[in-house]
Amino acid sequence: WIAYYSDEDADVYVVPSAGGDRRQLTSGPGADGAASWMPDGSGVVVERLEGGITRSLLVPLDGSPPRPLADMPGASAWGTPSPDGSQLVMQVTRGGQTTIWVRALPDGEPRQLTTEGFEDPQTPFAWSPDGRSILYESRRTGTSDLWVIDVTSGEQRQLTNDVRDDYQGRWSPDGQRVLFVSTRGGQQDLWVVPASGGPATRMTNDLAQENNPTWAPDGTRILFDVNDSRLSLGVASLDGTAPRTLANWDGDLLLGVQVSPDGQRVLFTGGRGGNND
């Protein structure tokens, strides 16, 4: 199945990946977006915006009623399941402050992990591959840095520390490194830091703006979009070879870059000629 959002009615649909008739999963109220799948494929995690409040719900594929996943009174709350589907990390925003919570699925009580109010877990990229840690951004020091929190103990540690902003953190497939965007050095480039901490390594070094990085499944390459008067799709290897352009893009949008499991193809959303495909 492929789950997707349609602006025909601001609802979520699924369609067989082999082709066939689509099936409507949600019908409002509010605007619904397909955030992620449950790891076992049993349902779709949907983010619903209604009355200025965002919340997450699970829509099973078997036709049973949707059920709330992240629903906090008076707050926007949305989340992403852990790799094994046993927990949900939640980003909760109330009164202009954002904190991180976690709950056991399906019916565990929410448990607050951070209290400062400056956190952003960057769902759906927060979980480490082993499901033990959560990667998040925080502005508690005055600039945006990357932090890691142990889900069980609640222990937090700062992964990056620079006078410039570090953001868009992405775990490597093996959980040993973290890829991120940084404005350190006065320009927006890609960097990689060991997940255990230590010096960061620069992956790109140019005046163009790199964004939305993603790992190839084997962890040897990274893909990203490049904004340098026009959009393009870039790729860089961890072996130190120079980054190169994978595809020039004559459009005004390039989002959601994903690499196929065998590492041979790339899927992305792009805008050309006034619509997104």
Side-chain angles (χ1 to χ4, degrees):
W1 295 95
I2 297 172
Y4 64 96
Y5 161 85
S6 172
D7 62 12
E8 176 183 350
D9 44 23
D11 285 317
V12 173
Y13 291 78
V14 291
V15 64
S17 60
D21 295 333
R22 69 176 185 172
R23 177 152 58 95
Q24 188 169 355
L25 284 189
T26 67
S27 57
D32 297 334
S36 62
W37 282 91
M38 290 299 292
D40 63 1
S42 62
V44 179
V45 179
V46 170
E47 289 183 5
R48 173 167 291 175
L49 175 60
E50 181 183 8
I53 297 293
T54 300
R55 57 192 178 96
S56 290
L57 59 152
L58 173 62
V59 185
L61 284 190
D62 62 9
S64 54
R67 66 174 186 265
L69 281 181
D71 191 359
M72 306 285 279
S76 285
W78 58 94
T80 300
S82 59
D84 65 359
S86 66
Q87 300 184 84
L88 185 83
V89 62
M90 297 187 294
Q91 177 176 334
V92 179
T93 302
R94 179 187 287 116
Q97 293 190 324
T98 301
T99 52
I100 300 173
W101 298 59
V102 68
R103 58 168 295 203
L105 296 177
D107 301 313
E109 287 295 319
R111 176 167 56 94
Q112 189 167 359
L113 293 181
T114 67
T115 59
E116 286 83 356
F118 300 101
E119 294 80 48
D120 180 354
Q122 283 289 284
T123 56
F125 306 104
W127 289 102
S128 61
D130 62 9
R132 296 178 180 176
S133 302
I134 291 169
L135 175 69
Y136 67 95
E137 299 170 16
S138 177
R139 299 193 67 86
R140 64 184 64 164
T141 62
T143 59
S144 179
D145 292 305
L146 298 180
W147 293 67
V148 175
I149 186 168
D150 184 282
V151 176
T152 301
S153 67
E155 180 183 355
Q156 302 181 54
R157 56 186 175 86
Q158 189 170 356
L159 191 59
T160 67
N161 184 1
D162 195 86
V163 294
R164 300 283 186 165
D165 289 327
D166 303 326
Y167 50 97
Q168 292 185 20
R170 308 285 190 263
W171 295 98
S172 62
D174 61 5
Q176 298 301 305
R177 290 164 291 186
V178 171
L179 167 67
F180 63 99
V181 178
S182 179
T183 58
R184 58 183 69 187
Q187 60 191 43
Q188 186 168 307
D189 290 312
L190 301 180
W191 295 71
V192 171
V193 64
S196 58
T201 301
R202 186 194 290 266
M203 295 299 299
T204 62
N205 187 2
D206 52 46
L207 296 179
Q209 294 185 345
E210 284 83 25
N211 267 306
N212 304 312
T214 189
W215 289 91
D218 63 3
T220 65
R221 292 163 295 164
I222 57 175
L223 286 92
F224 47 91
D225 62 65
V226 183
N227 190 348
D228 184 13
S229 74
R230 62 177 297 180
L231 287 173
S232 60
L233 183 62
V235 60
S237 298
L238 268 67
D239 62 8
T241 57
R244 61 186 176 88
T245 298
L246 189 63
N248 289 314
W249 185 250
D250 185 20
D252 59 0
L253 178 73
L254 196 156
L255 292 174
V257 176
Q258 299 179 60
V259 187
S260 62
D262 63 4
Q264 299 302 305
R265 291 171 291 178
V266 179
L267 171 71
F268 60 93
T269 298
R272 273 179 176 168
N275 66 296
N276 300 334
D277 293 308

